């Protein structure tokens, strides 16, 4: 059960669904003051990297939303290295930014730097990915998606893919995992396995599983190795589209047909993933929306102004439920 503080993980991620769109460096994006002569909010944001199309879209969303809100954005690219993110966060603390936000590379190892931010009285907001900490007061909230549920949905949609393809007999699954220790990798695997163990213990088996580090190159390399060691694989579950697209290249190089000889389910919903799906090379995609920038900026303003994040979340929850009701009963007056 998600508590109120972490509600954004589920509700806002779902509410947004259906909309797409070199060294660690500092990218200052100053903007004009946000109207009325008030002090411009300075936001320090540390991004995981640029390993995938999803991540690029996420970075673009944060940058454009910060500009639209009139915030001064200090943006850093960690190149998928935790030490770079920790260094960036410490830099933001020394600069005395108003709010810090970051998408953590991995789930553990953040307590020390988060305690430093708390001591400096700078609120921290997590985006996209969660952390594991013994003290949840070290961050304000998480703006992101429910990765465990994405894993469950991947398994449920695989049931439909298998039925449509008419696949008979044992389902031999290869799993391309995300970055080791990253929240989406851990939770997408967990959710998938929950459904598999509950409903398909007798006929589904993950015969091989390894990280492709969320990259196309990693997906291609690891899938090529999978096919060498397990040539009878008939299903691929990839934790993101980019690894799936890389795997398609390896499958075709091995003389097999992606989407037919090997059924493919991925997570994200980037443009190239949908192109591959339209070509029949990916059978299904579980969408994870990258456009978190606007919600993040609303949270940043709420936190900076001393407002209640819980109250803001409750408002968003109410708006979401009303939108769902309107969609179900469009003729009713609200």
């Amino acid at each position: 059960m998600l508590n109120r503080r972490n509600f954004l993980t589920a509700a806002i991620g779902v509410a947004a669904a259906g909309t797409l769109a070199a060294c660690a460096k500092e990218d200052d994006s100053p903007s004009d003051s946000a109207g009325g002569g008030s002090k411009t909010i300075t936001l320090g944001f540390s991004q995981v990297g640029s390993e995938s199309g999803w991540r690029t879209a996420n970075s673009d969303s944060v940058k454009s939303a910060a500009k639209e809100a009139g915030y001064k954005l200090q943006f850093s690219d960690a190149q998928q290295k935790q030490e770079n993110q920790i260094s960036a966060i410490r830099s933001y603390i020394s600069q005395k930014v108003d709010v810090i936000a970051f998408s953590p590379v991995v789930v553990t190892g953040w307590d020390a730097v988060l305690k430093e931010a708390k001591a400096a009285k700078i609120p921290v907001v997590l985006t996209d990915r969660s952390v594991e900490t013994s003290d949840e007061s070290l961050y304000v909230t998480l703006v992101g998606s429910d990765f465990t549920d994405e894993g469950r949905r991947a398994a449920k949609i695989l049931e439909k893919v298998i039925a449509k393809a008419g696949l008979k007999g044992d389902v031999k699954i290869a799993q391309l995992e995300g970055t080791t220790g990253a929240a989406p990798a851990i939770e997408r695997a967990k959710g998938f396995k929950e459904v598999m163990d509950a409903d398909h213990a007798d006929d589904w088996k993950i015969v091989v599983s390894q990280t492709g580090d969320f990259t196309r190159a990693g997906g291609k390399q690891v899938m090529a190795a999978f096919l060498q060691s397990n040539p009878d694989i008939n299903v691929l579950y990839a934790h993101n589209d980019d690894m799936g697209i890389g795997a398609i290249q390896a499958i075709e190089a091995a003389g097999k047909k992606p989407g037919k000889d090997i059924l493919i389910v991925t997570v994200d919903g980037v443009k190239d993933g949908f192109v591959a799906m339209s070509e029949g090379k990916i059978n299904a995609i579980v969408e994870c929306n990258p456009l978190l920038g606007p919600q993040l900026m609303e949270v940043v303003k709420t936190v900076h102004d001393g407002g209640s994040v819980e109250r803001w979340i409750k408002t968003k929850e109410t708006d979401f439920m009303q939108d769902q009701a309107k969609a179900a009963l469009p003729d009713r007056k609200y």
Side-chain angles (χ1 to χ4, degrees), residues 58-80:
N58 181 244
S59 293
D60 289 345
S61 177
V62 169
K63 290 176 180 178
S64 62
K67 184 176 181 180
E68 178 70 21
Y71 300 168
K72 180 178 181 181
L73 178 66
Q74 307 285 355
F75 184 95
S76 66
D77 180 340
Q79 296 188 314
Q80 293 184 282

Side-chain angles (χ1 to χ4, degrees), residues 201-247:
D202 296 332
D203 57 332
W204 288 18
K205 183 179 180 181
I206 297 177
V207 296
V208 62
S209 184
Q210 186 176 322
T211 179
D213 212 25
F214 282 130
T215 67
R216 293 191 191 190
K220 180 179 180 181
Q221 180 180 357
V222 174
M223 190 65 194
F226 283 173
L227 292 169
Q228 287 288 327
S229 61
N230 295 272
D232 56 348
I233 292 165
N234 51 22
V235 168
L236 170 65
Y237 168 42
H239 288 184
N240 79 339
D241 292 343
D242 282 82
M243 288 190 297
I245 291 167

Side-chain angles (χ1 to χ4, degrees), residues 98-174:
D98 297 302
V99 181
I100 293 171
F102 76 108
S103 181
V105 177
V106 293
V107 297
T108 59
W110 301 103
D111 280 22
V113 72
L114 291 179
K115 287 177 182 177
E116 293 171 26
K118 185 175 181 179
K121 297 182 180 180
I122 300 175
V124 175
V125 177
L126 304 180
T127 70
D128 176 41
R129 299 179 176 185
S130 61
V131 299
E132 291 179 2
T133 176
S134 58
D135 182 3
E136 290 194 348
S137 72
L138 296 178
Y139 66 94
V140 177
T141 193
L142 163 65
V143 181
S145 301
D146 187 333
F147 298 132
T148 302
D149 190 58
E150 288 171 356
R152 295 187 192 106
R153 285 188 283 143
K156 297 304 289 185
I157 202 168
L158 177 58
E159 294 175 334
K160 297 179 181 179
V161 167
I162 289 171
K164 183 177 181 180
L167 179 62
K168 304 297 182 182
D170 292 339
V171 176
K172 299 178 180 180
I173 304 169

Side-chain angles (χ1 to χ4, degrees), residues 36 93 128 161 166 194 292:
I93 293 170
D128 176 41
V161 167
E194 281 180 10
L292 302 176

